[in-house]
Amino acid sequence: ETAVSDTARRPSQSTPTSGPAVRAGERPRGARFAGAYEADEPPRAAAPPPEALRAATATAARLAALRAAQDGGGSYVLLCEATGWPPEWLPPLAAELERSGLAADVSLLLWELATLPAPALAEAAAALAAAGRAGDCSALLRQASARRRPEVAAVALALCHLGRRDLATGLLTALLRARTPEEAVEVVETDRRSLAPVLLDAAEGVSAQHRRAVVGLLEAAR
């Protein structure tokens, strides 16, 4: 497992529940799905703190030196250490790596972020999105969608808890594009009340066929 700092992070919690019936062509309604379809208001990122900029500059310089010395192990350790930074420090780091000609290391950083525990991963994705790094956020969510199904559910719930239901939808969209509707429905059974509406939105964004399949499977599994 990727090494990270001791920065305290709150765990994601959910209580498995079974949901009401879902009719084909309809979204779940009623108290059990209350608030599930409220639009998110994506937050705007504040200017990065000076210490984040200093850390980004120093890390990019160290990484460039390690790459020049062909020290792959040291480079890997440095990127792993960065995954433990406060989430809002990650966008400045990605930007500085790009400015330093280390764009490939941004991809490696995202790969390592995708192995973090669900709450930390969700915070990283939200920070990237808020900073306008939508491409990095999407790449991180695609990589997260390849995790074990309970872990994907935990990430989706953590994103919802952060008020980023839009990103949870993006995660489940990536899941649907890579796996079968049956597997996607198994993911949301972890917390059907919270995640079934998100999966329906994701399926609708993929295709009408996917949405019909998901609706049918949710109905059969109730």
Side-chain angles (χ1 to χ4, degrees):
E1 186 178 274
T2 303
V4 298
S5 73
D6 293 330
T7 302
R9 300 180 184 275
R10 289 173 294 181
S12 174
Q13 296 181 345
S14 62
T15 302
T17 59
S18 60
V22 180
R23 296 181 182 178
E26 293 184 359
R27 291 182 175 183
R29 301 178 184 277
R32 290 180 65 80
F33 289 108
Y37 281 89
E38 293 177 1
D40 289 319
E41 188 68 29
R44 295 182 181 180
E51 56 268 32
L53 299 176
R54 288 194 295 269
T57 300
T59 298
R62 286 180 60 197
L63 188 57
L66 289 168
R67 291 298 185 198
Q70 298 184 338
D71 186 350
S75 300
Y76 174 74
V77 170
L78 191 61
L79 287 170
C80 287
E81 289 175 351
T83 65
W85 289 10
E88 64 273 15
W89 289 26
L90 296 172
L93 174 60
E96 187 61 33
L97 291 176
E98 290 174 344
R99 282 192 291 270
S100 301
L102 299 169
D105 283 305
V106 176
S107 297
L108 292 177
L109 175 64
L110 296 173
W111 181 267
E112 294 302 324
L113 289 171
T115 69
L116 291 176
L121 197 164
E123 289 172 2
L128 290 167
R133 300 192 66 89
D136 289 343
C137 180
S138 294
L140 178 57
L141 295 178
R142 284 195 301 272
Q143 292 167 14
S145 73
R147 293 175 63 157
R148 293 173 57 249
R149 279 170 278 184
E151 295 171 352
V152 176
V155 175
L157 286 169
L159 287 166
C160 289
H161 293 164
L162 290 174
R164 295 309 305 258
R165 187 180 179 281
D166 57 327
L167 300 185
T169 301
L171 173 67
L172 296 187
T173 297
L175 177 75
L176 277 168
R177 293 188 187 280
R179 305 195 196 183
T180 66
E182 288 82 2
E183 288 175 302
V185 169
E186 288 178 8
V187 166
V188 304
E189 287 300 325
T190 299
D191 188 336
R192 174 183 278 234
R193 177 180 179 180
S194 298
L195 295 181
V198 183
L199 180 62
L200 285 169
D201 271 0
E204 187 170 3
V206 174
S207 71
Q209 180 180 358
H210 275 80
R211 192 175 195 283
R212 286 194 297 271
V214 168
V215 168
L217 289 165
L218 288 172
E219 171 70 20
R222 68 182 176 88

